[in-house]
Every structure is written in structure tokens, then in C-alpha cells.
Amino acid sequence: MIFSSIPFMYYFLPIILLVYYVTPRKRRNAILFISSLLFYAWGEPKYVLLMLLSIVQGYVSAQIIEKYRETKVARGTVFVSVILSVGSLLYFKYTNFFIENLRAITGGYVSFVKIVLPIGISFYTFQLISYVVDVYRGARAQRNFLDLGAYIAMFPQLIAGPIIRYEEIESQLSNRTSCFEQSANGIRRFCIGLAKKVLLANQFGEFITIFRQSSDLSVLYYWMYILAFSLQIYFDFSGYSDMAIGLGKLFGFEFSENFNYPYISKSITEFWRRWHISLGMWFRDYVYIPLGGNKVGVARHLCNIGIVWFLTGFWHGASWNFALWGMYFAMLLVIEKYVLCKHLQKHPIIAHLYVIVVVLLGFVIFNAEQLHILCSDFKGLFGMNGLPFASKEAFYYFKSNFILFIVGILGVTPFVKNVFVKARRREGIRAVMDVVEILLLVGALVIVTAYLVDGSYNPFLYFRF
């Protein structure tokens, strides 16, 4: 089940909210936990047991760590817990990748394992690791198993994040309140994310499908494709994060932001402080800083950056293009740190153009799972395949999707938000803008519903990560 679906929006969510709010406050985490398991079981019932075992492992490990804190028992327990969590992720996500590379290196034959990747395992595994490590560092272990289960399995952010740290949500698990204003903001945020996903990301996805099937390629067409993919993945993932944050508000939770207009950045360092914020902070706090961060010599610092970004890329999927994508950004960050940073600060317009170009080229790597596709895409972008600058099909789809691209480009900036904020500050227009916003949200919901009933293209890109 996905958020942008008729069963979720008009059956599952209303029923769960009704049950949740008629249940006494002390029992609401149990309802949230059970509903999260039902949500997960909707698509993969056999992996509910895996999730439960992971939660049990984390619960027991944390109790042992807290009881024997600052002893060898605690250190051994956190090590075993992390190994079990990482081992589970490696088995389900990377086994066949390792087998494929072993066969390529040795020339031998090793059968692939029939494994279906559990949806959301990359996200809930990281949350479980952060919980156990935070307890080891001094946080209080969660005594109530259902409360811990609600945190790990919470369906609003189970499938594609944001990655919620235990320390961020610990107090909310036992003490949270819901009010009309919070619920209204939650509905508003959910509708915005839903519109991003269905009305923008899906449309860019359909354009990309047409491009990949085309035999009338050109340089213009390739640049339209990579711009479309960059916009698709932003609206797809930030839209999901918006929906997750909105749903969290409906259940009384305040989740941290996961995107902050990354395409307005003036350096790659800034870009990664704005894109998938929760993942960046996770790797910073649980990998980069424990390795020594930047409080070491230059060689060690470069090594730390390389390790973090190799793992960041590899986290996204079992394919070498993701690792290459991670190392590409590691290289850019190192160049900025030691060479470019001071120059970028002096020329903001050039810095912004630089970020856009290198990010677009990075997404060429990200979306090319095979080497020959990667080489072909780069050649196409720079006219090295003997392609014309433009073609009839490229011009046709440029004109057909011109408005979509303009809306998409405006949508990745704070322009629309700033217009509404400034208008609300004016006393005579504030009430009008409130009505306009409601009408826009209702209209978007109606249009989205029509798209979903029609059965249009609708998968979430980050489900595969």
C-alpha cells in the first residue's frame, strides 16, 4: 500500500484515525503499532515477522546495554546488535549483488538467491541502529515494547523516511497532544505532498518512460530527460516526506524536515544539508564523527569522507552506479573543501549554476544501472553519439511539457511559499489567501483522486532503495 492510492486515502487512513482517536491516550501507541503492522502486511505479510524479530532484538539489546552501561557487556551487546541489523540489511538487499560480482570475478557459477527486498528495510534498520547506539551513548531505553514498536514500525514514515532518530521522538512517544490546528496543518501538508507526487513526479516519470523508448534522440532530448529525472526524484521523495510529516501531525507527532529547497544551493556542501537531511545527519552522527570527522589529519579526513559517501551511495541500492554516484559527490565535496569554497562564496550566481550542472550530471550516474547506459547517456548529453542538437520528437515533447517543466522549476524554489507568506502578512488579503489555499488544496485532491482512479503511473522511486 502506498500513500498516493485510493485504498490508503479513503479506507485505511480514515478507519485508523477513527480507531486511534476513540482509543484512550495510554493505548494509542498500541493502535499505531498494530495499524503499522497491518499497513506493512498489506504488501508483504511474510516480512512482518522479520520486522517483529528486528524490534525484539533492538528492545532486548537496549535493556542489556542500559543495565550494564560502560562495561564490556554493553559494548559487546551494541556490537552484536548493529551486526545483526546490518547483516539483515546486507542479506536481503545485497546478496545477489555480491553473487553477481563473484561470478564476474571468478568466472564460476553461483546460483542467485530468490529474495524479495522487504520494503522500507533500509529506513527501519537505520532507525533501529540509531536507537541502540543512542542508548549506548546514554539515552534511556524504552521499557514499553509497544512504544518501541510504534517508533520503529510507524507507518507514516516506514516506507521511505524521513529517518526519525529515537532521541527526537522519545518524549513524544509518551507525551503528545493533538489539536485542531495541528491536524489541519497535517492535512494541508499531506495534500501538498500528494500533489507533488501525483501531479508532478508522476508526470515527469511518464516523460522519462517516453524518452527511454524513443529512437529519435538528440542532445536537447537528453538534457530534457535528465532535468525531468532530477525534478521527478525531488517531487517524488520530498512529496513522500511531506505526506509522512503531515500524517505524523495527524497522530500528534512532529517529524523533522527532510528537504529544504536543495536546488537553490550555492555549493554541494549546502545541497547535502538540504537534500534528504535525515540520511545525511544519520551518516554524520553514526559514521563520520565516530571515524574522527574532520578532527584528524588531511589524509584521514579524505578517507573519512570517502567511506561515508561510498556507504551513502551504496545504501541507495545494490548496484555499482550508486557507489560511483556516492564517490562522485565525495570528490566534489573534497574539491570544495580544499579549493573551491572561497571562490564560490564570491560568485553566488556562478556557484548556483555550478551546483545545478553537477547535480544534474550526478543524477545521470544515479539513474543508469548499467555501464553501457551510463556511457550512452553522457555521450548523448554532450553530442558525442553523432546526435543532432534537436529532433522532431524532442521539439514536440518540449512544447507539450513546457508548462510542466516551468511549474516544476518554480516548485523546487521557495517562490510560491514566499508569495503566500507575504500575502498573509497584509491584513486585507490574509482572509482571501486562506480561502484560496483551501480551494487549491481541495482542487488538487479532486484532481489527484481522478488520476488515481484512472490508474496512472504511480510507484514511489525510493521504494526500491
Side-chain angles (χ1 to χ4, degrees):
M1 192 190 311
I2 60 176
F3 294 164
S4 56
S5 67
I6 297 297
F8 178 81
M9 292 166 53
Y10 293 103
Y11 301 107
F12 182 85
L13 182 59
I15 292 172
I16 295 303
L17 284 172
L18 177 62
V19 174
Y20 180 83
Y21 278 107
V22 299
T23 301
R25 292 184 185 276
K26 292 183 178 181
R27 301 287 181 266
R28 286 182 178 178
N29 282 347
I31 296 299
L32 187 57
F33 183 34
I34 294 169
S35 62
S36 296
L37 294 179
L38 290 173
F39 176 86
Y40 197 71
W42 185 283
E44 295 185 341
K46 64 181 180 180
Y47 286 132
V48 171
L49 179 60
L50 173 65
M51 177 181 287
L52 286 172
L53 289 174
S54 298
I55 295 171
V56 169
Q57 180 267 115
Y59 177 81
V60 173
S61 297
Q63 303 304 315
I64 295 172
I65 291 167
E66 185 176 55
K67 182 176 180 179
Y68 298 100
R69 183 165 283 146
E70 298 183 1
T71 67
K72 291 183 179 180
V73 173
R75 289 192 290 272
T77 301
V78 73
F79 176 79
V80 170
S81 177
V82 170
I83 289 297
L84 288 173
S85 295
V86 172
S88 176
L89 181 60
L90 288 175
Y91 173 75
F92 284 100
K93 194 169 183 176
Y94 301 100
T95 295
N96 285 328
F97 170 77
F98 293 138
I99 291 175
E100 179 182 6
N101 283 274
L102 180 63
R103 288 166 61 169
I105 294 170
T106 65
Y109 179 79
V110 181
S111 298
F112 288 116
V113 181
K114 293 183 179 179
I115 302 175
V116 176
L117 179 65
I119 293 175
I121 189 171
S122 296
F123 291 90
Y124 75 72
T125 297
F126 271 27
Q127 291 193 175
L128 187 62
I129 292 173
S130 74
Y131 165 65
V132 172
V133 173
D134 284 351
V135 172
Y136 177 73
R137 290 174 175 176
R140 182 172 57 88
Q142 179 56 250
R143 301 292 183 187
N144 189 313
F145 178 79
L146 294 178
D147 288 357
L148 180 64
Y151 158 63
I152 298 296
M154 195 179 300
F155 76 84
Q157 44 76 233
L158 170 67
I159 304 299
I163 301 170
I164 305 299
R165 304 263 292 277
Y166 177 68
E167 61 181 14
E168 299 173 10
I169 205 173
E170 178 183 6
S171 61
Q172 298 181 54
L173 286 169
S174 56
N175 183 27
R176 64 184 184 275
T177 58
S178 300
C179 64
F180 176 79
E181 183 179 2
Q182 185 185 33
S183 297
N185 286 335
I187 294 171
R188 172 180 172 275
R189 192 68 180 268
F190 181 86
C191 289
I192 291 173
L194 187 66
K196 281 184 177 181
K197 163 61 184 163
V198 177
L199 302 184
L200 292 173
N202 286 3
Q203 308 315 308
F204 286 118
E206 290 182 355
F207 171 83
I208 291 166
T209 300
I210 292 170
F211 167 80
R212 283 304 191 193
Q213 296 172 349
S214 174
S215 58
D216 189 21
L217 298 174
S218 63
V219 174
L220 175 63
Y221 213 171
Y222 267 101
W223 280 100
M224 289 169 61
Y225 147 70
I226 198 55
L227 176 60
F229 179 76
S230 300
L231 293 172
Q232 180 199 13
I233 196 168
Y234 171 78
F235 286 117
D236 187 277
F237 196 18
S238 71
Y240 186 98
S241 294
D242 286 339
M243 285 187 272
I245 291 169
L247 290 172
K249 290 180 182 294
L250 290 176
F251 290 96
F253 291 95
E254 294 292 338
F255 296 156
S256 57
E257 295 293 335
N258 209 24
F259 287 85
N260 183 23
Y261 302 108
Y263 289 121
I264 68 171
S265 302
K266 295 179 178 64
S267 69
I268 295 302
T269 302
E270 182 185 357
F271 179 86
W272 282 107
R273 288 173 181 162
R274 293 173 175 270
W275 178 284
H276 203 345
I277 299 169
S278 62
L279 180 66
M281 292 180 66
W282 195 96
F283 273 107
R284 181 197 68 187
D285 293 344
Y286 297 102
V287 180
Y288 182 67
I289 292 177
L291 286 173
N294 60 358
K295 308 297 183 182
V296 292
V298 174
R300 179 69 180 275
H301 183 215
L302 296 178
C303 182
N304 291 345
I305 292 174
I307 291 172
V308 167
W309 282 96
F310 177 82
L311 293 176
T312 300
F314 208 45
W315 175 88
H316 281 82
S319 178
W320 283 115
N321 68 298
F322 294 118
L324 179 61
W325 174 77
M327 297 309 296
Y328 168 79
F329 278 106
M331 177 189 68
L332 290 173
L333 289 167
V334 168
I335 293 173
E336 279 190 6
K337 174 73 174 177
Y338 290 99
V339 180
L340 280 182
C341 188
K342 58 184 179 182
H343 301 293
L344 295 175
Q345 292 173 353
K346 295 178 182 178
H347 306 285
I349 295 177
I350 295 175
H352 184 237
L353 292 174
Y354 146 77
V355 169
I356 295 299
V357 171
V358 299
V359 167
L360 289 179
L361 295 178
F363 279 128
V364 176
I365 302 171
F366 189 90
N367 200 40
E369 295 187 6
Q370 296 179 341
L371 182 61
H372 72 90
I373 296 176
L374 176 61
C375 293
S376 177
D377 286 349
F378 269 110
K379 289 179 179 178
L381 287 169
F382 296 101
M384 297 170 64
N385 278 338
L387 297 176
F389 173 76
S391 59
K392 289 183 178 179
E393 189 171 325
F395 273 127
Y396 172 79
Y397 284 109
F398 178 81
K399 291 185 291 185
S400 301
N401 293 279
F402 182 75
I403 299 299
L404 175 64
F405 277 98
I406 294 298
V407 172
I409 291 170
L410 287 175
V412 301
T413 72
F415 174 78
V416 176
K417 178 182 177 181
N418 289 341
V419 168
F420 272 85
V421 170
K422 289 179 180 179
R424 279 201 172 92
R425 290 173 182 168
R426 301 178 63 179
E427 196 64 34
I429 303 180
R430 184 172 182 176
V432 175
M433 294 304 296
D434 288 341
V435 174
V436 169
E437 183 181 41
I438 292 172
L439 291 175
L440 287 174
L441 292 175
V442 171
L445 184 60
V446 171
I447 296 171
V448 164
T449 301
Y451 268 98
L452 297 180
V453 169
D454 186 51
S456 302
Y457 170 94
N458 198 37
F460 271 108
L461 289 181
Y462 261 73
F463 277 12
R464 72 188 191 202
F465 306 139

